[in-house]
Amino acid sequence: MSNWENMDQWYAVLPPSRPTSKELSRIEDFLRNIDKNEPVAVLGSTPEFRELLFRLGFKQRFIFDKSPDFYKRMGQLIPHSVQSDEQFIKGDWSSILKDYPHFFRVVLSDLTMGNIPYEDRDDLYYTISNAVKKGGVFIDKVLAFDFRVPTLDELFDKYERLPINLRTINDFSSEVLFCSELVKKKNIIDSTEFYKCIREGNYSEKIKFFADAAHMITPEGFVWSYGIEWSELEDDYKKYYVTQKIFVEDDANSPYYLRTKQFFNFK
């Protein structure tokens, strides 16, 4: 099981592995019209969501994370005042959210579903929807595998021609570890196994340098459930909501171009 306490260089992680400016602007536009006394929740300790909810003046802000250490570490990336009246709830989402039936006006999530094994997804989908009150919304970003998965040769040819900097190291992590043919072998991402494959493969010094540097973005010892076609997953994902608005990543410079979707799921 992934240990998020080992994710200790989050300051080096760039969008779209974190919420993008466009995604945050879209959420902010929606939240402006919500009563600020309504309770709102964040799945995980996403600093951008926590700062946004504070800045907009929401009084009841609940942060759900199973790792108090990761919550505190993410708190170092935002002003201290943001955390002053947050309500941190420790626990597994599928379990702890059951204590909040029909409670939240808004639940925010960014790339969280990959943390959940496929066999546990439906239970979590139901639990989240049950925590959202009627008329509420679950806003979520998903890496949806409805794209042609590039080969390692294609990606490595691309990165051989790119400079090495924090932006390209982030992009290497996103594309090679999360979107390449490596994922489709088992429909999971095993960072330890993937790095071993690259380290022991017949690849150039530059590609191996990229892989070594990518450890600060995606450490070893993590497993995510990605790779199954979105067409096989979407019916379970949307069945608890009356309607959806879907926004596809449209920045051609993003490593997740046409690969992620931001959902506004309305209860």
Side-chain angles (χ1 to χ4, degrees), residues 29-58:
D29 288 345
F30 177 81
L31 293 179
R32 286 189 184 280
N33 298 318
I34 303 296
D35 182 349
K36 303 308 182 290
N37 292 308
E38 292 268 22
V40 293
V42 178
L43 302 187
S45 299
T46 308
E48 293 87 345
F49 291 161
R50 294 162 64 186
E51 191 279 329
L52 175 61
L53 294 174
F54 172 82
R55 178 162 52 83
L56 291 177
F58 282 93

Side-chain angles (χ1 to χ4, degrees), residues 13 24 36 57 66 91-92 101 113 119-120 151 174 205 217 219-220 227 234 237:
V13 178
L24 289 167
K36 303 308 182 290
K66 64 182 179 181
D92 178 84
M113 291 307 149
E119 61 270 20
D120 297 333
T151 66
S174 295
E205 180 184 9
I217 313 302
E220 295 194 30
E234 63 178 335
Y237 179 80

Side-chain angles (χ1 to χ4, degrees), residues 167-179:
R167 176 71 270 168
T168 57
I169 292 168
N170 268 265
D171 291 354
F172 183 96
S173 172
S174 295
E175 289 201 282
V176 176
L177 272 72
F178 285 83
C179 296

Side-chain angles (χ1 to χ4, degrees), residues 79 114 188 247:
I188 62 169
F247 304 91

